């Protein structure tokens, strides 16, 4: 079998959105599954709308999702001569021709077609005029008058279009720039792409691109068009549905594994399995079982997956991911401290932002504000227990989990108390919260010096 080469070809006119992200994941998985190559191409020929900051953002999102690409990054803007050379070749072979019709002329032709109840299109006026290059002239493809363009879509199945439905499309604009279809075909061929998997907003371009492949004598790749992602209300996904860009999910503290798992499942299935490790996806994803119906975004399921990955990811890795969020909270906790806190908080946190907020409470020397629900435990009685325990904690030979647990247990037993008379005031003094991990774990995570400082602060 020929080496599988896939590509992702974003236009840098915005951040990577989840629909594009999902396409990129599919292309990456297909290449990895077959031990092939995954290429990345920046389609930046629209100089008005393309911006370097978006290219940077897309690359950052790709990295965050864990999608590494092979070979050099390709920029279309650096390949203009190559596209024009292909256009010249098509003119020479008679597959393309110069056209001097103005945009107004073309609009008038479309109007005429519409009036006749036909598909609005260019009427081929310049086909036989034998024009050469000149100011304001474009180059058009001579589309066959008859015949059918047929392909088997990886997702949508059999697709057939009559050539007569298609326009003599522009390949080179009046300003010398190639059009999207020209550039994409040239690139996909030159990069050796075997599988063109992309959003189904491009499905109508594919027959046109097939004509170009044929005119240039290129071997056709396999095409696949994945349906778009709809909002939870089954309408087109938009801003009002909340986050749409991959970067927004990152900023909201989602784990990349959760988003990858979620997006893959949103357009592909393997029985009714919901949770897939990346290795499993690579093993199972062969480009079949892609869903041809558009799927609706389900924020709750994404949260559920996120909670799952937050619990299952090794603490050291969670610590690494949460570190920048903790920093953003203005707290400076070392990696080791974070790693110790991960098991204490990950069960209750929905995302890295929440987790970081909990962890920030552990910064040494921090002046923790006590929430109202917790402050009510700091009564005279509560403070009495805090004062007594403070001395016990100070005198412990070892300030570790088991010694602390035993010390608190003893104190409660000997005093004939209930734990709830002692635990909540201690917790309030230590982290200013009414809820949280077991108090002995909190003490241990804070360390002796910081714990005593916080208890003293409440007593003074
Ligand atoms: N640049 C196109 C886009 O961002 C994708 C083109 C393609 O995959 O063929 O929609």
């Amino acid at each position: 079998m020929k080496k599988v080469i896939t590509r992702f070809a974003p236009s840098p006119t915005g951040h990577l959105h989840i629909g594009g992200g999902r396409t990129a994941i599919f292309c990456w998985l297909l290449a990895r599954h077959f031990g092939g190559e995954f290429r990345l191409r920046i389609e930046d020929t629209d100089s008005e709308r393309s911006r370097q900051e978006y290219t940077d953002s897309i690359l950052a999102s790709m990295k965050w999702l864990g999608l590494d690409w092979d070979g050099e990054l390709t920029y279309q803007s650096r390949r203009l001569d190559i596209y024009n050379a292909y256009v010249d070749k098509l003119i020479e072979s008679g597959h393309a021709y110069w056209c001097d019709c103005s945009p107004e002329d073309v609009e008038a032709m479309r109007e005429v077609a519409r009036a006749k109840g036909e598909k609005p299109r260019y009427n081929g006026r310049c086909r036989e005029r034998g024009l050469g290059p000149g100011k304001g002239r474009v180059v058009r493809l001579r589309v066959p008058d008859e015949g059918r363009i047929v392909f088997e879509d990886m997702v949508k199945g059999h697709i057939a279009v009559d050539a007569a439905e298609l326009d003599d499309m522009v390949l080179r604009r009046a300003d010398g720039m190639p059009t999207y279809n020209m550039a994409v075909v040239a690139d996909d061929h030159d990069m050796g792409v075997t599988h063109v998997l992309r959003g189904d907003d491009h499905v109508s371009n594919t027959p046109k691109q097939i004509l170009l492949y044929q005119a240039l004598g290129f071997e056709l790749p396999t095409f696949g068009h994945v349906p778009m992602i709809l909002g939870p209300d089954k309408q087109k996904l938009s801003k009002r549905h909340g986050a749409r860009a991959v970067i927004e999910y990152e900023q909201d503290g989602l784990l990349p594994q959760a988003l990858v798992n979620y997006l893959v499942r949103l357009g592909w299935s393997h029985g009714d399995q919901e949770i897939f490790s990346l290795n499993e996806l690579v093993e199972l994803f062969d480009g079949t079982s892609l869903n041809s119906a558009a799927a609706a975004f389900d924020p709750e399921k994404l949260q559920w997956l996120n909670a799952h990955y937050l619990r299952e990811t090794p603490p050291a890795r969670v610590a690494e991911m949460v570190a920048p969020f903790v920093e953003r909270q203005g707290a400076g906790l070392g990696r080791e401290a974070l790693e110790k806190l991960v098991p204490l908080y990950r069960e209750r946190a929905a995302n890295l932002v929440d987790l970081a907020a909990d962890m920030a409470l552990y910064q040494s020397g921090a002046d923790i504000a006590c929430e109202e629900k917790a402050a009510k435990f700091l009564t005279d009685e509560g403070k009495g227990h805090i004062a007594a325990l403070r001395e016990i904690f100070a005198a412990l030979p070892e300030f570790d989990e088991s010694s602390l647990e035993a010390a608190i247990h003893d104190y409660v037993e000997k005093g004939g108390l209930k734990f709830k008379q002692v635990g909540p005031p201690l917790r309030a003094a230590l982290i200013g919260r009414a809820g949280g991990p077991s108090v002995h774990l909190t003490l241990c995570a804070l360390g002796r010096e910081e714990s005593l400082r916080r208890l003293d602060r409440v007593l003074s």
Side-chain angles (χ1 to χ4, degrees):
M1 187 174 140
K2 205 166 146 190
K3 176 157 149 189
V4 168
I5 301 181
T6 63
R7 62 20 167 219
F8 180 56
S11 304
T13 53
H15 298 289
L16 180 64
H17 58 86
I18 52 169
R22 186 182 58 165
T23 304
I25 296 167
F26 286 157
C27 294
W28 183 89
L29 285 173
L30 193 65
R32 297 292 172 254
H33 174 83
F34 287 108
E37 280 179 29
F38 170 66
R39 308 287 307 271
L40 185 58
R41 177 171 81 225
I42 303 298
E43 304 213 318
D44 58 348
T45 53
D46 182 344
S47 56
E48 297 262 298
R49 293 170 60 227
S50 298
R51 297 237 290 271
Q52 185 61 41
E53 65 181 273
Y54 289 133
T55 297
D56 295 342
S57 163
I58 292 167
L59 297 184
S61 289
M62 297 282 292
K63 285 186 190 143
W64 181 74
L65 290 169
L67 308 177
D68 54 338
W69 57 90
D70 300 301
E72 295 232 343
L73 185 61
T74 307
Y75 286 89
Q76 284 192 326
S77 58
R78 299 181 193 166
R79 289 175 46 84
L80 301 179
D81 290 346
I82 295 168
Y83 308 134
N84 277 327
Y86 279 123
V87 174
D88 290 343
K89 223 173 123 182
L90 287 164
I91 297 171
E92 267 162 44
S93 65
H95 287 97
Y97 59 90
W98 289 96
C99 163
D100 68 355
C101 297
S102 67
E104 295 76 30
D105 294 336
V106 177
E107 194 35 54
M109 292 171 195
R110 297 212 161 111
E111 215 27 72
V112 170
R114 260 187 228 114
K116 285 199 245 167
E118 290 168 8
K119 234 184 147 154
R121 58 193 194 121
Y122 176 74
N123 69 7
R125 172 172 166 260
C126 295
R127 274 186 172 194
E128 310 303 336
R129 290 177 65 208
L131 294 176
K135 197 164 173 288
R137 293 183 182 174
V138 303
V139 175
R140 291 182 180 274
L141 181 74
R142 186 191 300 268
V143 171
D145 294 320
E146 47 199 29
R148 267 162 99 67
I149 302 138
V150 177
F151 66 101
E152 293 305 320
D153 192 287
M154 287 168 71
V155 185
K156 296 180 182 289
H158 187 76
I159 296 184
V161 175
D162 280 329
E165 298 264 303
L166 303 177
D167 231 345
D168 276 2
M169 64 174 156
V170 173
L171 302 177
R172 182 185 198 270
R173 289 187 233 277
D175 62 3
M177 290 299 267
T179 53
Y180 157 74
N181 284 312
M182 181 65 241
V184 163
V185 169
D187 287 339
D188 285 339
H189 170 263
D190 288 2
M191 293 163 105
V193 172
T194 58
H195 293 73
V196 172
L197 195 54
R198 59 186 161 204
D200 71 359
D201 46 334
H202 287 290
V203 71
S204 63
N205 284 317
T206 302
K208 301 177 194 172
Q209 292 180 12
I210 289 176
L211 288 177
L212 262 177
Y213 274 93
Q214 289 167 344
L216 286 161
F218 295 161
E219 196 183 327
L220 283 179
T222 301
F223 292 96
H225 296 89
V226 290
M228 61 178 171
I229 300 174
L230 300 176
D233 54 3
K234 303 263 166 76
Q235 300 298 307
K236 197 173 168 196
L237 195 64
S238 72
K239 261 285 175 236
R240 93 197 124 81
H241 292 112
R244 286 167 59 222
V246 170
I247 193 176
E248 293 175 86
Y249 291 95
E250 179 182 0
Q251 287 162 353
D252 287 350
L254 213 80
L255 267 54
Q257 300 91 311
L259 191 59
V260 168
N261 190 149
Y262 179 73
L263 290 176
V264 169
R265 266 298 283 115
L266 200 54
W268 172 85
S269 55
H270 179 72
D272 47 18
Q273 187 173 337
E274 289 294 354
I275 290 172
F276 297 87
S277 70
L278 204 54
N279 285 340
E280 245 176 322
L281 287 175
V282 168
E283 195 175 305
L284 296 170
F285 189 91
D286 61 2
T288 63
S289 304
L290 282 161
N291 204 338
S292 61
F297 196 77
D298 177 354
E300 270 163 39
K301 189 162 160 198
L302 179 56
Q303 284 304 328
W304 173 75
L305 278 167
N306 202 48
H308 168 82
Y309 283 103
L310 209 47
R311 283 195 309 271
E312 298 299 320
T313 305
R317 173 77 185 116
V318 178
E320 189 185 328
M321 290 191 288
V322 81
F325 291 90
V326 175
E327 223 165 277
R328 235 165 280 160
Q329 301 264 351
L333 286 157
R335 230 15 102 74
E336 223 175 288
L338 293 180
E339 199 175 322
K340 263 183 39 200
L341 288 168
V342 168
L344 304 196
Y345 279 100
R346 62 160 143 203
E347 296 283 341
R348 51 188 94 229
N351 53 55
L352 295 173
V353 174
D354 290 358
L355 188 61
D358 289 333
M359 289 177 162
L361 298 173
Y362 286 77
Q363 196 202 352
S364 287
D367 220 354
I368 301 298
C370 194
E371 62 178 10
E372 221 178 301
K373 281 188 289 185
K376 70 170 200 273
F377 295 117
L378 296 174
T379 55
D380 286 345
E381 190 213 327
K383 284 185 187 172
H385 297 314
I386 292 172
L389 278 161
R390 187 233 179 264
E391 298 314 318
I392 296 172
F393 295 153
L396 278 179
E398 298 287 342
F399 200 81
D400 57 21
E401 280 179 27
S402 53
S403 319
L404 286 160
E405 190 175 19
I408 296 168
H409 184 79
D410 269 11
Y411 177 80
V412 170
E413 282 283 276
K414 291 202 180 114
L417 300 164
K418 289 210 162 58
F419 180 78
K420 67 171 188 240
Q421 292 171 271
V422 176
L426 267 180
R427 186 180 287 116
L430 292 168
I431 53 172
R433 294 289 177 272
S438 298
V439 180
H440 66 280
L441 298 177
T442 292
L443 284 159
C444 194
L446 285 166
R448 180 163 3 219
E449 199 183 320
E450 180 66 12
S451 296
L452 297 182
R453 185 189 73 78
R454 292 185 181 203
L455 298 179
D456 288 342
R457 197 175 67 121
V458 165
L459 294 173
S460 68

